[in-house]
Amino acid sequence: MSENLVRFGILGCANIARKVSRAIRLSRNATLWAIGSRSIDKAARFAAENGFPASAKVYGSYEAVLDDADVDAVYVPLPTSLHVRWAVAAAERRKHLLLEKPVALNAAELDTILAACEANGVQYMDATMWMHHPRTARMRQFLDDPRRFGPLKSVHSIFCYNPGPEFHNNDIRVTPDLDALGALGDTGWYCIRAILWANDYQLPEKVTALREVKYNEAGVILSCAASLSWADGKISTFYCSFLTNLTMDITCAGTDGNLRLHDFVIPFQENLAHFYTTSESRFAELSLGVVPLPSEHAVTTELPQEALMVSEFARLAADIERNGAKPEKKWPTISRKTQLVVDAVRASIERGFEPVEVGN
């Protein structure tokens, strides 16, 4: 490891890797060190187009990135079906692992990845970027306030977008041998994470998928929805889709307040994000309105959320390498809980929309 910077290698030239490459450049404790692709020409073109320093290594294979002793950490944006192979290979070469979501096709695959990370003492984190925006911490403060919000009762989350014919014909996210989870793994991952986050990562007792699932001709999910229930009476729902106009909403309802936002996955503005709260709401006289009016909260950030993600991941990796710290267990824990709920939704669909108990 260099004196001040965690050196990143990237496996593959996926479109999302362009955004993360920029995030690594913006981070103050990380640097772009290597890019690997099955085509060295493609890797060289990616490096040139995405601001890699002239000293960056360009490789014609993923193996070469992992074999580079100077690479401290890898970002893996490969198709989900390839995650087990390359994530485990990275961990076994003691590369800290930033893994694109969905992280695996099922919890058994993820357990294999996490076991390799633990055995080799490397940091694991999934690339769910909104978790790192300062707005997320501010919203958590409101949800934890017994006076303004009270006990949580329900969460509803939606993430959908309609990317058009080119996506539906060619994207890996609708190709069964590359990303078999489809919209459930892509947009549904975010919805489920939002619900778990609001519930302080307490897993639901049961999950029931709703019947109106849409598939493409290859049998990949294009849209689905589900309800989640807890033993203490809490209920949550989500809807995820590749067939509906861009929507990124969370609504949290408590006994004494509620929280709303409309851009939880990617803020409408890179350096400014909003959320809305109300407490002790009631109908106005003659039900001519509602009082009090919602409060709008604005949260600014110097760095975009993806750069904050990279910075936090690099901080954890550097602490391990320089100070002998143990990997932070928060990130693999919440990643696994998210995957367990994804698995339960898929199982409910496959079992004819029956309620499915969430595993451990």
Side-chain angles (χ1 to χ4, degrees):
M1 180 170 293
S2 65
E3 184 177 350
N4 297 310
L5 301 175
V6 171
R7 297 167 295 195
F8 269 85
I10 297 178
L11 304 190
C13 302
N15 190 54
I16 189 63
R18 296 171 55 220
K19 183 172 186 173
V20 175
S21 295
R22 176 176 179 264
I24 295 169
R25 295 200 321 268
L26 291 173
S27 174
R28 298 182 180 93
N29 59 351
T31 187
L32 291 164
W33 188 265
I35 175 70
S37 172
R38 291 172 295 175
S39 163
I40 195 166
D41 291 338
K42 186 176 181 180
R45 187 164 57 251
F46 184 93
E49 292 174 351
N50 289 281
F52 278 60
S55 59
K57 307 294 181 61
V58 176
Y59 295 116
S61 71
Y62 307 143
E63 293 97 333
V65 177
L66 300 184
D67 288 337
D68 187 332
D70 292 325
V71 170
D72 303 308
V74 292
Y75 167 60
V76 180
L78 299 171
T80 310
S81 61
L82 300 178
H83 281 192
V84 171
R85 176 184 175 185
W86 292 108
V88 169
E92 289 177 342
R93 288 169 173 81
R94 294 211 72 251
K95 311 299 185 187
H96 302 282
L97 179 63
L98 181 61
L99 185 60
E100 193 52 62
K101 23 64 26 214
V103 293
L105 294 175
N106 52 59
E109 287 191 356
L110 179 56
D111 284 345
T112 300
I113 294 169
L114 297 182
C117 290
E118 185 172 2
N120 291 279
V122 297
Q123 183 64 51
Y124 165 95
M125 182 185 286
D126 67 53
T128 308
M129 299 171 184
W130 74 272
M131 304 298 301
H132 303 270
H133 197 290
R135 172 175 64 178
T136 304
R138 283 275 302 277
M139 294 190 298
R140 180 78 260 165
Q141 292 174 358
F142 178 76
L143 295 183
D144 289 342
D145 190 320
R147 182 181 59 83
R148 292 188 297 161
F149 186 75
L152 177 69
K153 290 297 185 180
S154 182
V155 184
H156 182 58
S157 179
I158 303 175
F159 181 26
C160 49
Y161 56 92
N162 188 350
E166 176 66 22
F167 176 97
H168 286 288
N169 291 331
N170 299 303
D171 198 89
I172 64 171
R173 285 165 283 186
V174 292
T175 305
D177 58 342
L178 296 177
D179 264 310
L181 295 173
L184 174 59
D186 185 54
T187 58
W189 175 275
Y190 287 95
C191 296
I192 291 166
R193 174 62 61 80
I195 290 170
L196 291 175
W197 166 79
N199 281 277
D200 205 18
Y201 301 107
Q202 178 189 8
L203 282 170
E205 183 179 47
K206 293 182 180 179
V207 167
T208 306
L210 305 186
R211 292 184 175 275
E212 295 303 316
V213 180
K214 303 297 183 184
Y215 302 91
N216 66 9
E217 292 181 357
V220 176
I221 294 171
L222 299 180
S223 71
C224 67
S227 65
L228 293 69
S229 60
W230 283 256
D232 62 3
K234 292 194 298 291
I235 296 174
S236 295
T237 60
F238 77 85
Y239 170 68
C240 62
S241 178
F242 292 150
L243 301 173
T244 309
N245 189 62
L246 178 61
T247 308
M248 303 178 288
D249 285 7
I250 302 174
T251 299
C252 301
T255 57
D256 302 296
N258 63 54
L259 177 149
R260 294 180 293 111
L261 68 159
H262 305 297
D263 58 349
F264 82 96
V265 178
I266 299 174
F268 294 142
Q269 297 174 261
E270 185 172 69
N271 300 114
L272 176 65
H274 296 84
F275 67 98
Y276 304 86
T277 63
T278 57
S279 299
E280 299 182 348
S281 306
R282 61 191 185 278
F283 293 113
E285 185 72 20
L286 299 178
S287 297
L288 298 179
V290 173
V291 293
L293 293 175
S295 298
E296 180 178 11
H297 307 266
V299 182
T300 59
T301 177
E302 180 183 354
L303 292 175
Q305 62 185 15
E306 59 272 17
L308 294 172
M309 174 188 71
V310 167
S311 298
E312 174 61 8
F313 176 77
R315 183 190 69 79
L316 294 170
D319 199 27
I320 293 168
E321 297 300 327
R322 295 174 188 150
N323 303 318
K326 299 294 184 183
E328 171 60 65
K329 292 187 176 182
K330 168 188 174 180
W331 299 109
T333 298
I334 64 176
S335 194
R336 188 174 187 276
K337 287 185 176 184
T338 308
Q339 185 70 54
L340 286 171
V341 178
V342 170
D343 288 4
V345 174
R346 191 179 189 186
S348 179
I349 293 170
E350 293 173 348
R351 297 175 192 176
F353 308 98
E354 294 181 353
V356 171
E357 292 187 0
V358 179
N360 293 310

